[in-house]
Amino acid sequence: MSESKVSVLRSAALARCPRCGQGPLFRQVLVLRDNCSHCGLDYAFIDTGDGPAVFAIFILGFVVLGAALWFEFTFNPAVWMHVVLWGLLTPLFALGLLRFLKGLLTALQYKHKAEEGRLVR
Ligand SMILES: [Zn+2]
């Protein structure tokens, strides 16, 4: 892996290759491509594990619960309005946030050359 001049945040926000910043990172919403279509970087090194999901759970829990409480105490809506509103918004927020966090952890993994430890190279 070579040194990257691409911003980690830019790469994550646009879901682009961490090396060139041009090729798309995902082939579907959250499914990684096999390699970069622009520079050919092999994405096989990418292993974000459960990292994006853990961060997304904490961030979404804080934001959605806070928004639901604000909505409840500001407008005092019927319960079904909470169910419809948060039942639709939460999965949309989750997908967007997971996509961003997966791109962010991928770019950070590439930038810092993070990988499993080995005794012999
Ligand atoms: Zn690339």
Side-chain angles (χ1 to χ4, degrees):
M1 288 184 229
S2 63
E3 182 92 11
S4 176
K5 302 289 184 214
V6 179
S7 159
V8 169
L9 282 177
R10 183 180 183 283
S11 170
L14 300 177
R16 298 295 168 182
C17 169
R19 180 163 71 186
C20 68
Q22 300 295 317
L25 194 57
F26 300 105
R27 101 172 93 97
Q28 293 173 356
V29 176
L30 287 173
V31 179
L32 286 170
R33 291 173 172 265
D34 294 330
N35 54 37
C36 175
S37 60
H38 189 260
C39 72
L41 176 66
D42 186 2
Y43 291 159
F45 73 93
I46 296 172
D47 182 15
T48 57
D50 293 336
V54 170
F55 285 118
I57 287 168
F58 286 132
I59 294 168
L60 273 176
F62 180 80
V63 170
V64 170
L65 180 64
L69 288 172
W70 173 82
F71 187 60
E72 172 65 26
F73 292 115
T74 303
F75 300 106
N76 198 18
V79 173
W80 69 265
M81 292 176 85
H82 280 289
V83 172
V84 171
L85 181 66
W86 306 116
L88 291 174
L89 288 181
T90 305
L92 291 177
F93 288 153
L95 282 178
L97 190 59
L98 277 172
R99 191 173 159 94
F100 172 76
L101 289 171
K102 196 166 181 175
L104 180 66
L105 292 184
T106 296
L108 287 171
Q109 182 184 359
Y110 178 78
K111 180 178 180 179
H112 297 288
K113 298 174 177 57
E115 59 187 19
E116 287 188 30
R118 294 188 191 130
L119 294 176
V120 179
R121 277 206 179 251

